Amino acid sequence: MLGYLDALKTIQYEIRHEVENTIREGVRALNSEVVVGLALLVIVLLISPIIILLVRMVTRTLQAFSETLLEKTHELSNEKKRSDKLLYQMLPPTVAQQLRQRKQVSTEVHESVTVYFSDIIGFYELAAESTPLQVISLLNVIYKMYDSQIDCYDVYKIDTVGDAYMVASGLHMRRPDTNHAAEVAHMALDLLTGTENFVIPHMPGEKLKIRIGIHTGPVVAGVVGTKMPRYCLFGDTVSTASRLEYTGQPFKIHISSATRSMLEPTQGGFIVVPRGEVDVHRNKPKMETFWLVGRHNDTKKRKEKMERENSTKVSGSKKKKGNPSVIKKILCK
């Protein structure tokens, strides 16, 4: 029994020694883990302000970039609108869209179109007595006046060559039920009225004299060229309108019988005076032509327009800022 007790004590001592060693190793491991955790905590506490600062900097950079991107997008949208507006002034919207899509623009045949031509009488003599800058300034003022007026009508400006001004109606009309001959007639009367009192800036003693020719008939329309495409009209109607303008007289609107027949059913009525047969084309028979003198209710409309203009000027003097589009709509009525 004593031998067994001695052996048992020896085993107990060994077990206790083994347990103590295990506990010591566990304590050491826990201490090392705690030290590592504290070290990591210290590192995180030291790095966290830097991380927060970097996040704030990145956030501000992203905000500034988004604001800049939004501003550039807005500028790009405005530039696109301006380029579209400029493109639509050179080409009809349908034709411009086809060219943008790289499609082949087909030639169009229009059965009835009214073509307007006007030029300045004695322009080359006037240009010879003026400097190039004066000629350019004069044409710029005249075309600005014409362009602001034709926006009031359902017409399309085709071309300007020197002092010649060409407009057509019936090609791509905003209102299909509109009488295109009446639109051109109204426009011609208003342009003539605006030109009657026009004084040449560098020659105050001289007045601008224009003559106008209008003809209605079929035309062929198409885009000519690829580098600088131009929308052109072809056909006898164009040449006839040009010849009517050439054989006209100062401050008169020379129209053909085809245009007159379209103006007859127009509500309100135009004042048309026969001119007689005129040799418009050299190798063709004479044509019966007419003078477009005015409108039956033109006096009343002019009075109302003057009253609107006066009221607009009075209200514009009271208010420093106005809406040009609203004023333009009032003057176009």
Side-chain angles (χ1 to χ4, degrees):
M1 289 297 293
L2 289 174
Y4 285 128
L5 288 175
D6 291 335
L8 182 59
K9 286 180 181 181
T10 302
I11 294 171
Q12 287 178 350
Y13 289 142
E14 291 177 357
I15 293 173
R16 185 178 66 180
H17 183 68
E18 193 71 27
V19 170
E20 288 177 355
N21 292 334
T22 304
I23 292 173
R24 288 192 190 97
E25 291 177 358
V27 170
R28 290 195 195 98
L30 289 175
N31 290 333
S32 62
E33 291 179 359
V34 170
V35 171
V36 172
L38 290 175
L40 292 175
L41 180 60
V42 171
I43 294 172
V44 169
L45 291 176
L46 292 175
I47 296 177
S48 59
I50 301 174
I51 295 174
I52 293 172
L53 182 62
L54 291 175
V55 170
R56 287 184 177 180
M57 292 177 62
V58 171
T59 304
R60 290 177 182 176
T61 304
L62 290 175
Q63 289 178 351
F65 178 75
S66 62
E67 291 176 358
T68 304
L69 183 62
L70 184 63
E71 183 180 355
K72 294 298 181 182
T73 304
H74 186 66
E75 292 178 359
L76 181 62
S77 178
N78 291 336
E79 289 297 327
K80 185 177 180 299
K81 290 179 181 178
R82 291 174 59 184
S83 63
D84 289 344
K85 184 179 179 181
L86 180 61
L87 182 62
Y88 293 157
Q89 289 176 354
M90 299 174 61
L91 298 170
T94 55
V95 175
Q97 291 176 3
Q98 291 179 7
L99 289 176
R100 276 184 168 180
Q101 297 172 0
R102 301 183 181 276
K103 293 182 179 180
Q104 182 68 28
V105 181
S106 58
T107 304
E108 299 175 338
V109 179
H110 299 273
E111 297 297 332
S112 181
V113 173
T114 301
V115 181
Y116 164 99
F117 270 98
S118 68
D119 75 342
I120 302 171
I121 300 175
F123 174 75
Y124 294 102
E125 291 79 4
L126 175 65
E129 298 176 2
S130 308
T131 64
L133 292 178
Q134 289 174 340
V135 175
I136 293 174
S137 177
L138 174 62
L139 291 177
N140 188 35
V141 172
I142 295 171
Y143 289 160
K144 278 185 177 180
M145 180 182 68
Y146 285 0
D147 293 344
S148 63
Q149 285 289 331
I150 68 173
D151 287 340
C152 301
Y153 306 96
D154 197 354
V155 298
Y156 182 75
K157 179 181 175 182
I158 300 297
D159 199 4
T160 53
V161 180
D163 61 323
Y165 198 83
M166 181 182 178
V167 178
S169 181
L171 296 167
H172 305 277
M173 303 193 70
R174 298 186 292 268
R175 301 182 300 274
D177 56 341
T178 305
N179 188 331
H180 50 80
E183 289 290 309
V184 175
H186 284 298
M187 180 200 70
L189 289 170
D190 289 341
L191 290 181
L192 188 63
T193 302
T195 312
E196 286 177 351
N197 300 322
F198 184 85
V199 179
I200 300 174
H202 60 281
M203 294 181 179
E206 297 289 334
K207 284 190 175 181
L208 197 68
K209 298 178 182 179
I210 68 167
R211 57 191 174 198
I212 298 173
I214 302 175
H215 180 55
T216 302
V219 298
V220 177
V223 177
V224 178
T226 55
K227 190 173 183 179
M228 290 185 64
R230 294 177 58 188
Y231 188 73
C232 300
L233 301 183
F234 303 93
D236 186 65
T237 301
V238 178
S239 60
T240 302
S242 177
R243 294 295 300 175
L244 285 170
E245 174 269 315
Y246 182 76
T247 56
Q249 295 180 5
F251 295 114
K252 287 189 176 182
I253 303 173
H254 199 195
I255 66 173
S256 63
S257 58
T259 304
R260 177 183 177 274
S261 63
M262 287 197 66
L263 295 178
E264 284 182 348
T266 304
Q267 188 176 1
F270 292 89
I271 303 174
V272 179
V273 178
R275 184 187 183 183
E277 293 186 349
V278 179
D279 189 8
V280 177
H281 294 280
R282 294 180 181 178
N283 300 325
K284 292 184 180 181
K286 293 184 177 181
M287 289 180 58
E288 184 181 6
T289 61
F290 302 84
W291 298 118
L292 176 61
V293 179
R295 292 164 285 215
H296 289 296
N297 55 353
D298 192 41
T299 305
K300 182 178 179 181
K301 284 188 175 181
R302 285 189 181 183
K303 185 177 179 181
E304 293 176 354
K305 184 177 180 180
M306 290 177 64
E307 291 177 355
R308 286 196 297 267
E309 289 178 352
N310 293 332
S311 62
T312 303
K313 290 179 181 179
V314 172
S315 61
S317 62
K318 292 181 180 180
K319 298 180 180 180
K320 293 183 179 180
K321 293 184 179 180
N323 192 343
S325 61
V326 175
I327 296 175
K328 186 176 180 181
K329 289 181 181 177
I330 293 175
L331 296 178
C332 289
K333 290 183 180 179

